[in-house]
Amino acid sequence: MPTYKYKREDGTTFEIKQSIKDDALEECPETEQKVKRVISGGGGVVYKGDGFYVTDYKDSDRKEKRAKEKEQANGTSNSSTENTSKTEKDN
């Protein structure tokens, strides 16, 4: 739910969380003074670091997962061939 900022008649402000579908308040729920919704510039997207690339998340996760699956597949197939070779030597 978004947070909206309101200004009372006496000049003080307060914030309240409301649904987007809700109508704007006409009076303060605490003091019952008339209020106006104030347009604020907060809540935007914050970018940190050098930048965002498509390969940073989606593709790298998929590549890591495939590499792990290949390692596991190679690890299990190697151990199964080792087991068969041991049993053949034992006989």
Side-chain angles (χ1 to χ4, degrees), residues 2-63:
T3 303
Y4 293 100
K5 190 173 189 177
Y6 287 91
K7 187 173 185 179
R8 297 182 187 105
E9 286 180 325
D10 63 1
T12 58
T13 60
F14 67 96
E15 293 181 348
I16 189 166
K17 289 184 180 183
Q18 289 182 291
S19 172
I20 293 173
K21 297 176 184 177
D22 291 345
D23 293 331
L25 296 178
E26 294 181 9
E27 61 181 36
C28 175
E30 296 173 6
T31 62
E32 297 182 5
Q33 295 179 31
K34 289 186 180 183
V35 294
K36 276 191 170 180
R37 186 182 287 177
V38 179
I39 298 173
S40 62
V45 178
V46 177
Y47 295 102
K48 294 183 179 180
D50 295 334
F52 174 83
Y53 298 95
V54 174
T55 58
D56 284 348
Y57 299 101
K58 185 178 178 181
D59 290 339
S60 64
D61 289 343
R62 190 176 353 165
K63 288 176 185 175

